[in-house]
Amino acid sequence: MSQSSPDYSKGAAYMNGIYVPISEAKIPVGDWGFTHSDVTYDVVHVTDGGFFRLEDHLDRFHRSLEGYRLDPGVTRDEMRTILGKVVALSGLKDAFVAMISTRGIPRVYGSRDPADCDNTFIAYAVPWVDVIKPDVQERGAHLLVAQVPRISQNSLDPTLKNYMWRDFTRGMFEAKDKGFDTAILLDSEGYLTEGAGFNVFIVKDNKVITPDRGALRGITRLAVLDLCPELGLEPVVGPITFEDLMDADEVFTTTTAGGVMPCARVNDRIYGNDRPGPISAKLKDTYWRKHKEGWHMTPVNYADADNPFKVAA
């Protein structure tokens, strides 16, 4: 009796040198990525069968690897191929694609020395997800400035991707308890940072401003900064106070898993007509239109998973 082929339709993963359905991808309980959150990752999206800004994501992933002194033993070219293959195996044309490196399991039982661990490389592709649901984006998200401050960038470098979200999780519980969609955090000095998995922008007159501290250097954030001059807007990376946030004309958020996501309220402040603002909406429309035009897109060759970026005959 012949063995049936693996079912990758719900997602595909690469672990320990092999490809498995996403349901079979598991991390051992002894891995420091689980026990100590000693892990880094990056996420890139696939839209209409193409990766968006894949090389920028690989650049950022490698910066995170260096910052955390992780070496998964996989070259950049190998990573690129693995990422393409999990997408091709899944057949997903719109996907959320992750690359991860954990510290691994200590070779010496009970060791507290990170040098005793063999670092891992994991990748997977699953169906597209939105950090803020599409219907919420349509009416404009309602954000709460949480009471919990963002963890100090002196303790945890926010420009290196990590899973240490205790401050974000506390903020999200606070937001949900008060009837808001999600939370954004200020640092200990009162400056705006980011939210759980997304950057924040304010619009004031002709300026589109995003925080210069306490925040990830988001790839969608970069895309918005690139698009602003094309639309006659001035992009600014600079400090944003709570007062600046309340005085803004518009607010929106950005993330790989959702793109440009307009907001309508922050705390008790209602922007415009309690709907997405015109500049936020224009940036969102331009962002997705440029995807359709092939801007920074790397098409996947679904016909040959072993050569996922080779043009199909």
Side-chain angles (χ1 to χ4, degrees), residues 112-140:
R112 293 296 185 266
D113 185 349
D116 287 335
C117 299
D118 293 317
N119 308 158
T120 70
F121 180 72
I122 302 164
Y124 64 83
V126 292
W128 172 271
V129 295
D130 286 282
V131 166
I132 296 177
K133 295 177 181 179
D135 59 329
V136 174
Q137 294 183 42
E138 188 68 24
R139 63 126 156 99

Side-chain angles (χ1 to χ4, degrees), residues 143 184 192 200-210 240-252 263-266 269-273 275 277-280:
L143 309 180
I184 52 178
L192 181 62
V200 185
F201 283 80
I202 67 170
V203 178
K204 186 63 178 178
D205 300 323
N206 200 47
K207 293 182 178 179
V208 177
I209 312 165
T210 195
I240 299 174
T241 64
F242 177 76
E243 291 73 23
D244 295 331
L245 180 64
M246 292 296 103
D247 190 48
D249 299 328
E250 300 178 31
V251 175
F252 65 90
C263 305
R265 302 181 185 183
V266 176
R269 169 78 157 89
I270 297 175
Y271 299 87
N273 59 355
R275 302 291 294 178
I279 291 177
S280 303

